[in-house]
Amino acid sequence: PISVIDRQLIEDSKEISIIPVLNRQIPGLFITSRGVAGYGVSAGSAGSINMRGFSGSSGRVLILIDGHPQYATIYGHPIADAYISSEIERIEVSRGAASVLYGSNAMGGAINLITKKITQNGYNLKLNAAVGSYGTQQYSINNSFKKKGFTGYLGANYESTNGHRPNSDYNSLNVFAKAGYKISNDWEITGNISLTDFYDENPGAESNPIYESWAAVTRGMAGLSISNNYGITSGSLNI
């Protein structure tokens, strides 16, 4: 079975990270959080992705961006804090074995994050801000434009919290940019770049607190695609 989360659901959630949206909308999918905000790679199984008994850390749940597999070989599992909702147009989740399409890394399922497509002419600027308990703050700004054959999108997101316990601080910054040009009625070229930087602290168990346990991760990706669509046939080259 395949579940699709569209852009309207993503926007209505008001979430910076795409992970809470997935947790609420996809049956059988469980992603553990670190605390008040963030997921990431800290100890205590934070950021662990499980679908139908298979986990991302065992290489059995695959995350893709525009069909590109996101292998995080250093940590052995996808980095959940790198997936930001403002970048995403829709999400396609295949629950169950998707190995025929994606190989043995998708025995438990696959989550394909499809980046934004600009359809509205002119400029469209959006600002969001939120504050909450434990010093929690969330800010986002994004601007898109479409004029003649050119399209563009630029977004930035920041969130931070002091955490609900000592030594549980967290902050993250994400920047995403995408540009495209329609060469003709049938051909289009697009490029995008994403950069995520986050810092988190792991306080440990209340009965056995940990001091100075932290992780700081900077991760980025870039993509370039040339695509065509002749109605009866279509194709693309993705790098």
Side-chain angles (χ1 to χ4, degrees):
I2 296 176
S3 299
V4 177
I5 300 174
D6 61 18
R7 182 63 202 166
Q8 192 60 54
L9 270 175
I10 296 171
E11 288 188 356
D12 290 345
S13 73
K14 306 300 182 185
E15 298 282 358
I16 286 182
S17 172
I18 203 65
I19 300 302
V21 184
L22 287 168
N23 265 342
R24 288 196 293 265
Q25 298 292 334
I26 305 301
L29 176 67
F30 301 95
I31 306 174
T32 55
S33 63
R34 178 172 41 252
V36 177
Y39 292 81
V41 296
S42 63
S45 298
S48 175
I49 297 174
N50 292 274
M51 191 185 304
R52 292 189 166 184
F54 291 91
S55 70
S57 59
S58 65
R60 296 295 181 262
V61 177
L62 183 62
I63 306 289
L64 306 101
I65 297 180
D66 290 334
H68 296 223
Q70 302 297 299
Y71 298 113
T73 53
I74 295 176
Y75 302 101
H77 65 78
I79 301 178
D81 282 316
Y83 310 124
I84 306 300
S85 60
S86 61
E87 305 174 6
I88 308 303
E89 181 70 25
R90 74 178 188 277
I91 310 165
E92 298 174 352
V93 181
S94 175
R95 305 193 310 279
S99 301
V100 172
L101 291 176
Y102 304 116
S104 59
N105 293 73
M107 285 180 63
I111 302 170
N112 189 16
L113 309 175
I114 300 169
T115 55
K116 286 185 71 71
K117 293 185 183 342
I118 309 304
T119 58
Q120 184 175 345
N121 289 319
Y123 289 87
N124 184 19
L125 178 66
K126 289 185 179 181
L127 301 169
N128 287 293
V131 295
S133 55
Y134 308 112
T136 303
Q137 305 173 61
Q138 293 182 335
Y139 306 101
S140 68
I141 178 172
N142 56 75
N143 185 31
S144 64
F145 75 91
K146 182 179 181 182
K147 188 174 183 181
K148 295 183 179 180
F150 288 95
T151 59
Y153 177 85
L154 178 63
N157 306 274
Y158 176 79
E159 63 178 340
S160 67
T161 181
N162 297 328
H164 63 296
R165 292 177 52 199
N167 303 305
S168 62
D169 291 13
Y170 169 79
N171 64 75
S172 73
L173 173 66
N174 172 271
V175 178
F176 177 75
K178 185 173 184 178
Y181 177 66
K182 201 167 183 62
I183 303 170
S184 67
N185 290 333
D186 305 313
W187 287 84
E188 185 176 12
I189 182 170
T190 59
N192 62 72
I193 185 169
S194 176
L195 183 66
T196 299
D197 180 86
F198 70 85
Y199 168 86
D200 73 83
E201 296 180 352
N202 173 31
E206 290 188 357
S207 58
N208 185 24
I210 301 175
Y211 301 97
E212 297 187 7
S213 174
W214 53 271
V217 176
T218 300
R219 184 172 189 243
M221 63 158 285
L224 178 68
S225 69
I226 302 173
S227 59
N228 62 70
N229 190 340
Y230 289 96
I232 297 174
T233 61
S234 63
S236 65
L237 172 65
N238 298 290
I239 302 172

